[in-house]
Amino acid sequence: MRERVPAPGMASTVEITSATVRRGDILHIGGRVCRVQDLFQLPHGAKQLLFDTGELLTIHVRTHLVAVRMTRRR
């Protein structure tokens, strides 16, 4: 007998910038899927993103990316 596991939430596609990026956002970069593990604030509004893989990506104020964000069910 299979046990049903409830879905943790719904996925939505959002446009992110250095001001709106969050931990847990999933980005598709260079054909790879990367999940943001941590964020570091840099001067002039830039942020450095640390992915689960250990890789870093720096985004600036004018950088616009598309991410998948999980939203919790209410």
Side-chain angles (χ1 to χ4, degrees):
M1 185 163 74
R2 281 192 170 173
E3 219 178 293
R4 272 188 85 165
V5 178
M10 296 178 54
S12 61
T13 304
V14 293
E15 184 175 315
I16 61 168
T17 64
S18 63
T20 61
V21 65
R22 296 182 191 170
R23 287 179 184 88
D25 283 349
I26 300 169
L27 306 172
H28 189 95
I29 300 173
R32 297 180 63 188
V33 176
C34 304
R35 189 174 78 80
V36 178
Q37 181 180 3
D38 205 359
L39 308 163
F40 302 100
Q41 183 68 48
L42 299 175
H44 308 293
K47 285 200 179 150
Q48 191 172 53
L49 311 179
L50 172 65
F51 297 119
D52 286 343
T53 59
E55 297 170 303
L56 294 170
L57 174 69
T58 301
I59 59 174
H60 300 277
V61 178
R62 294 184 183 179
T63 303
H64 292 268
L65 299 169
V66 176
V68 174
R69 186 172 287 166
M70 298 302 289
T71 56
R72 293 185 181 181
R73 295 172 74 179
R74 294 180 186 198

